[in-house]
């Protein structure tokens, strides 16, 4: 993690900008995309550990629509660099479009091309 240490006589504009960036970072960490990524990886771990045998069982246990669970679960198969781009840029909109249309491929190279085309 980077840390910027500034002199005490820093202009107020810099301090304000720094505060805004900090607030944006905190907000991004709690976005719907971040929560969905966390759930997808948690559900994948439940499957891998044998605690559940299908996404349908997970959906029933969570009290969610099986289609929505299946859609969110696909996020666990995203390329790490695609996840990073989606979290740091405004590409989350493109990612949501791909997921909603059910066209998110498992191949990481195809994911990269599709995200770039939609951004």
């Amino acid at each position: 993690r980077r840390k910027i240490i500034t002199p005490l006589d820093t202009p107020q504009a810099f301090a304000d900008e720094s505060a805004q960036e900090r607030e944006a970072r905190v907000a991004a960490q709690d976005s719907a995309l971040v929560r969905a990524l966390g759930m997808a990886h948690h559900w994948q771990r439940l499957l891998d550990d044998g605690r559940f045998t299908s996404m349908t069982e997970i959906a029933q246990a969570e009290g969610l629509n099986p289609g929505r669970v299946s859609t969110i679960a696909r996020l666990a198969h995203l390329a790490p660099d695609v996840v990073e781009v989606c979290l740091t840029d405004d590409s989350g909109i493109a990612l949501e479009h791909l997921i909603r249309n059910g066209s998110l491929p498992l191949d990481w190279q195809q994911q990269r091309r599709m995200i770039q085309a939609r951004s």
Side-chain angles (χ1 to χ4, degrees), residues 56-73:
T56 303
E57 286 183 12
I58 291 174
Q60 289 172 345
E62 296 278 353
L64 298 171
N65 178 305
R68 186 66 179 155
V69 169
S70 177
T71 299
I72 293 171

